[in-house]
Structure formats: C-alpha cells, structure tokens
Amino acid sequence: MTTELQPESPAEAVQEQTPEQRAEAKRYNNVSLACSLADMAIDLVYLGLMAFVFARPLDRWLASYPALAGEFSLLRLAALFGVVMVLHMFVSLPLSFYSHFVVEHQFGLSNQTIRRWVRNWSLSSVLTLALGVVLNVGLFWIIWHSGQYWWLIAAAAFFVVSIVLGQLAPVVIMPLFYKIEPIKNDELDARMKQLAAGTGLTIEGVYRLGLSADTQKANAMLAGLGRTRRVLMGDTLLEKFTPEEIDVIFAHELGHHVHRHIPKMIATGVVVSLIGFWLIDRAIVWWAGIPTAATAPTATLPLVMFTLTLFSLVLSPLQNALSRVYERQSDRYALVRTNNAAAYRSAFWKLARLNKADTEPHWLEVILLHSHPPIAERLAAADLI
Ligand SMILES: [Zn+2]
C-alpha cells in the first residue's frame, strides 16, 4: 500500500528516507559489507599462515636470543605474540584506514581529522597489544600448569576478566576515546528520571558521549556492570532528536538494563569460551602431536589465535541472532514504556537517515553480520502495539 493512497496514515507525518537517501544508504552499506568481509578474510588468511607456515621458524628465531630460550618461556610467548600482532596491525592497516576513514568521509559521515584517526588507531593498537599479551601469556600459563581440564580453569578466568573489563569499560577504557560527561539539562534529567523510575537505574548513571568529534552518526548504549552501569547518549543524538525521540532511545537502553542483557551476554560468553578453550586443547594436541596440551610448545600460540578467530567467526551468526533477540526485546520495552509509537517511528527513521542505514538489507547479510534487526523490521514492531 502506498502512502499516497492513505493521506491520513500516521506514517505520512513521519519524514522517512527519500529515494536518493535510500540509494545512497544502499551504496554505503555495500561498501561497508565488502570491507567487513575483506577484513575477515585477511584475518583468517594471515593467522592461518602464521599458525601453519611461520610459527615454527619464528619461534626458533626468537629462541636464539638467550633471554627468550628455554622450553616453556613466558617471555618468548610474549615476544611471539608481539611479533604476530604488530605484523597483523600493519597488514590490516590499509583496509582499516580505508573503511573507517576514507569511506566514512566519502559518505559525509565522519567528522574525524586524520590526526585524530591516527591517534585513535595507535591507542587502540597499543591497548589491544598490552591486553592481548597479558591474556595470551595468562592462557598458556593455565595450559601449562592446570592439568588435563585446564579449559575449565581458563573459562573461570575468562569470566573474571569479563567482569573486570565490563566494569572498567565505561570508566577507564571508553574515556580514552570519547569525552564522557554527565548530562546537564534539567528538562532531560526530569524526563529520564521519570522513565527510569522503578528500574533500578539511577539518573546519575546517564551520560553524554562525545561522538561528534568522530562522526555525524547518532547512537546510544548501555555499558558497565554494578556501580559503573550507565546509559551513554551520543551528543549527536541529544542535539538532533526531539525530547520525545530521545525518550524512545533512552527507554530502549533502559530495556537492556531491565532485561539484564549485559549479565546474560557475559554468561553466554562463558559457555562459548568453555567450548573455545576445549577446541584449542584439541587443536594443540593434533598440531603438535603430543598426548596432552600441558606440554604445548610456544610455537602453538599462533594456532591458538587462529582457532579462536575461526571459532568466533563460525559462531558469530548465533551471537548476532541472540543480540537481535535482545534488541527486539528492548524495542518492545521502549514502545510500551513511552507509549508513543509516533515518536518511536520518527526516531528510527531519523537514525536511518543520519546513519545512512540500509533499512532492508539482504537476509543473508543480516544472519551473518548484523547484531541489530533491520530498521524496517524495528519500525514494524510499532504496528503491533
Ligand atoms: Zn540496543
């Protein structure tokens, strides 16, 4: 049914995407899709080569340094991880720059200066390297010292690390990349306080997230655990959305809080990690031809990295499906809580226009890559209320 035949339809009042905007969103989506697929292929091929071709020669070369010699050297493990990761960062640098800087500028979505891009890339590379060294060396320490069922211990350690990182993310890690400050707006404060009443989320936990230094795109998120739990509303969103539309987005984030999606994701992560670590155990035994992983040579580290990457890729459709279930739950929560389907519709159309979102991507793309339902589907939820 076309809108021309239904001039009184409520959708008529909502500004949607023009045919030109829709076509541009499709083009942007196709380029982003190609970049994501290429990135995954580069990761797999690079880590595959490291695991099956270069691992032993690299390990022998590192072992020739007296400080890194010895059979179960944690220091050599750290050095091997460093070499593999630094090379990986430079191998993926051109595509990373193209997809996150060039494409975003071509489509008029980026506010980022090249200086800021380089700063953020360097900082995130250093953080990934530092955290990766600790986690991978820690993992091998567990493999070498915990016996046959090391993967149970490793999954328990993974749980602890998830909790710590979940707590630190919004207070330590994210502020390194974004300006985060309390929302200083009495009217917004009052509206949010009213929406959050009875949910256990205090209004002190709502912050303005400085996305505009990087992007034109609007976004919001729920982050943190326990006392660091907070809703982060993009400054781009706060500036461009009406109070009613902000209510809808805020209520969606409240939905994630009320439905306890972050603890549920951590619990799923622990189950997934248990399977992942068991697979690593099998891969090490097979590749090194040893009876148990307890004597895993340091040269198996790239294999461990390859196995985890392949496993998470294979699993990502399931993880994405679960995430889309959570998003639909939060959308429904937002609709019921605000009881304002018109604001819901206009908020999602505004998101589609600002973020140049393809509202109806191919189903295969959704299954493989999307953590959020297509906007057309999210809009349709408003018709059911
Ligand atoms: Zn969400």
Side-chain angles (χ1 to χ4, degrees):
M1 226 181 290
T2 64
T3 43
E4 291 103 293
L5 296 174
Q6 277 192 314
E8 328 64 11
S9 144
E12 187 73 348
V14 177
Q15 199 195 343
E16 301 182 353
Q17 266 173 327
T18 65
E20 293 75 30
Q21 284 169 335
R22 202 174 284 247
E24 203 193 3
K26 280 259 178 231
R27 278 200 302 280
Y28 173 59
N29 187 64
N30 287 343
V31 176
S32 305
L33 174 64
C35 288
S36 305
L37 294 176
D39 189 48
M40 286 177 191
I42 289 173
D43 274 3
L44 270 191
V45 171
Y46 172 81
L47 286 175
L49 282 173
M50 281 294 156
F52 299 111
V53 181
F54 296 111
R56 283 195 176 102
L58 259 178
D59 187 56
R60 269 198 299 272
W61 168 63
L62 290 170
S64 69
Y65 293 90
L68 305 178
E71 215 181 339
F72 301 105
S73 162
L74 290 176
L75 212 55
R76 182 155 92 248
L77 207 58
L80 184 58
F81 180 80
V83 171
V84 172
M85 278 309 278
V86 169
L87 279 175
H88 182 245
M89 278 161 191
F90 286 99
V91 165
S92 56
L93 174 63
L95 181 63
S96 191
F97 179 70
Y98 176 72
S99 64
H100 297 125
F101 189 83
V102 177
V103 172
E104 294 293 302
H105 276 280
Q106 273 172 351
F107 283 89
L109 288 166
S110 184
N111 292 337
Q112 217 172 31
T113 59
I114 188 139
R115 205 190 156 92
R116 189 168 158 83
W117 187 85
V118 171
R119 180 244 180 223
N120 283 0
W121 180 83
S122 314
L123 187 58
S124 71
S125 299
V126 168
L127 280 179
T128 310
L129 202 60
L131 191 66
V133 164
V134 173
L135 293 181
N136 281 275
V137 168
L139 180 64
F140 267 78
W141 191 86
I142 291 174
I143 294 175
W144 286 336
H145 295 100
S146 317
Q148 197 186 349
Y149 297 108
W150 68 266
W151 40 277
L152 285 172
I153 314 273
F158 178 85
F159 174 69
V160 175
V161 169
S162 307
I163 299 285
V164 172
L165 286 181
Q167 280 186 328
L168 294 185
V171 285
V172 177
I173 301 167
M174 291 183 68
L176 295 172
F177 296 93
Y178 304 102
K179 196 171 164 190
I180 297 177
E181 53 194 359
I183 293 179
K184 295 184 212 83
N185 180 320
D186 291 342
E187 194 209 326
L188 265 182
D189 254 19
R191 298 181 79 101
M192 289 179 179
K193 209 171 268 180
Q194 204 179 359
L195 279 168
T199 64
L201 185 89
T202 55
I203 199 64
E204 287 78 18
V206 185
Y207 290 78
R208 163 191 282 262
L209 176 66
L211 294 178
S212 63
D214 297 306
T215 184
Q216 299 272 349
K217 291 180 183 174
N219 215 336
M221 69 185 73
L222 180 74
L225 283 170
R227 283 202 291 174
T228 68
R229 170 60 51 86
R230 57 202 61 197
V231 173
L232 303 165
M233 304 287 283
D235 54 353
T236 40
L237 189 132
L238 292 171
E239 268 150 39
K240 293 168 188 167
F241 282 52
T242 66
E244 288 77 16
E245 290 165 346
I246 292 174
D247 282 353
V248 170
I249 306 293
F250 178 69
H252 170 95
E253 300 309 327
L254 268 184
H256 285 308
H257 174 75
V258 169
H259 287 291
R260 305 184 57 75
H261 288 155
I262 293 182
K264 283 177 185 167
M265 277 195 293
I266 290 179
T268 318
V270 170
V271 175
V272 167
S273 76
L274 201 59
I275 302 169
F277 291 138
W278 179 79
L279 281 173
I280 287 177
D281 183 76
R282 295 295 86 202
I284 289 175
V285 166
W286 163 75
W287 186 81
I290 46 179
T292 87
T295 55
T298 45
T300 52
L301 173 70
L303 175 78
V304 167
M305 294 164 78
F306 172 77
T307 309
L308 278 184
T309 305
L310 180 62
F311 177 59
S312 63
L313 264 185
V314 169
L315 216 67
S316 66
L318 271 178
Q319 299 253 18
N320 284 331
L322 184 64
S323 167
R324 290 196 304 274
V325 168
Y326 292 164
E327 294 303 327
R328 283 193 281 269
Q329 272 184 340
S330 287
D331 283 349
R332 272 196 299 276
Y333 182 87
L335 274 164
V336 172
R337 188 88 185 176
T338 59
N339 195 24
N340 190 345
Y344 177 96
R345 287 191 187 92
S346 68
F348 275 103
W349 275 118
K350 199 172 264 185
L351 278 178
R353 286 196 305 278
L354 280 174
N355 298 358
K356 303 205 169 168
D358 181 357
T359 55
E360 288 172 88
H362 194 275
W363 61 268
L364 193 58
E365 186 190 330
V366 177
I367 286 180
L368 291 178
L369 298 165
H370 287 208
S371 58
H372 288 61
I375 287 193
E377 191 191 317
R378 303 180 78 170
L379 283 161
D383 302 333
L384 302 173
I385 294 294

